[in-house]
Amino acid sequence: AIIALGLTPSIECVEKKVVKLSIEQQEYMGFTPNEKAKFFYLNRLYMGNHQPIMILENYLPMSVFPDIDQNFIGNEPLNAYLDEHYHLKAHLSHRITKAANLSSVLAKHLNERKNAASIRSTNRVYDKDKRLIDFGQSHAISSYYFQGLISKEDIANYYTSKI
C-alpha cells in the first residue's frame, strides 16, 4: 500500500518483548484464556519515505511461535517471517476499522498532535485450523488513507474539469 502511494516503505521496530496478559485481555483479544500463556508483543512504525504513516501493535502466542523473541529482528515483514520460520500463513483475517483520536503516545510516534484523527484497525488473524495466531491493532494517520483513496491525478482532474 505504501508503494502504491509512490513512497519508499520501511519498518522501524519501536519495541518487542515477551509479555503476560491478564485473562480479561486474552478474552478481549480472542485468545483462549490461560494464566500461564505468554505472548510476543511487537510495536512497529511503518514508514513512507522515512515519515511515519502507521503504528502497529501485534500480540502473538509464544506457544505457537517459540523463540520468536530471540530470532525476529523487528524490521522485516512479519507474515513472510512467520511463513519462512514457522510455515504458518494467515488463512482468515477479521478486521474492524473505525476513526479514532490519537493518544499522546501514538501522536508522538506518528509526528501528529494529540487527538488528531486516525484510522484504527483491529485485526484478528487465524491459521487454516481456525486458531488465532495474531491480534493486532494499528493507527494510521488519516491523510495516509485519504491519499490511498484519491490520487493526485484525481484531484487535479477534479479541479481542472471545473474550469
Side-chain angles (χ1 to χ4, degrees):
I2 295 172
I3 293 171
L5 296 173
L7 305 174
T8 302
S10 60
I11 301 170
E12 179 183 311
C13 186
V14 176
E15 185 176 16
K16 61 179 187 160
K17 61 185 176 181
V18 175
V19 298
K20 288 189 82 176
L21 301 172
S22 70
I23 294 296
E24 293 80 15
Q25 288 172 311
Q26 291 177 51
E27 287 174 339
Y28 167 76
M29 292 179 186
F31 293 108
T32 302
N34 180 341
E35 289 184 5
K36 296 181 181 182
K38 292 182 181 177
F39 297 85
F40 181 59
Y41 169 75
L42 182 61
N43 190 0
R44 305 189 302 165
L45 279 169
Y46 286 73
M47 317 284 272
N49 292 354
H50 304 288
Q51 297 299 313
I53 291 176
M54 179 179 72
I55 189 163
L56 173 60
E57 294 180 295
N58 296 87
Y59 291 87
L60 299 108
M62 294 293 295
S63 61
V64 177
F65 305 107
D67 301 323
I68 191 170
D69 59 318
Q70 302 297 313
N71 300 317
F72 186 74
I73 295 169
N75 60 357
E76 62 267 58
L78 181 60
N79 290 338
Y81 179 89
L82 298 179
D83 184 25
E84 181 180 337
H85 293 273
Y86 298 98
H87 309 292
L88 275 176
K89 291 184 179 183
H91 182 73
L92 175 67
S93 175
H94 177 59
R95 185 178 309 268
I96 299 171
T97 303
K98 62 183 183 177
N101 293 342
L102 292 174
S103 69
S104 57
V105 172
L106 292 173
K108 183 177 179 180
H109 283 299
L110 293 169
N111 293 333
E112 290 284 335
R113 62 179 171 71
K114 180 182 174 185
N115 293 321
S118 74
I119 305 299
R120 180 176 64 204
S121 182
T122 303
N123 194 27
R124 290 171 178 84
V125 178
Y126 300 86
D127 66 7
K128 64 179 173 51
D129 298 320
K130 299 180 182 175
R131 175 178 55 170
L132 180 61
I133 60 171
D134 180 8
F135 173 87
Q137 190 165 74
S138 65
H139 286 82
I141 55 173
S142 56
S143 59
Y144 163 71
Y145 272 92
F146 179 73
Q147 290 173 14
L149 295 172
I150 301 174
S151 71
K152 290 178 185 174
E153 184 179 314
D154 291 337
I155 293 170
N157 288 340
Y158 173 80
Y159 285 109
T160 55
S161 69
K162 298 294 180 190
I163 299 174

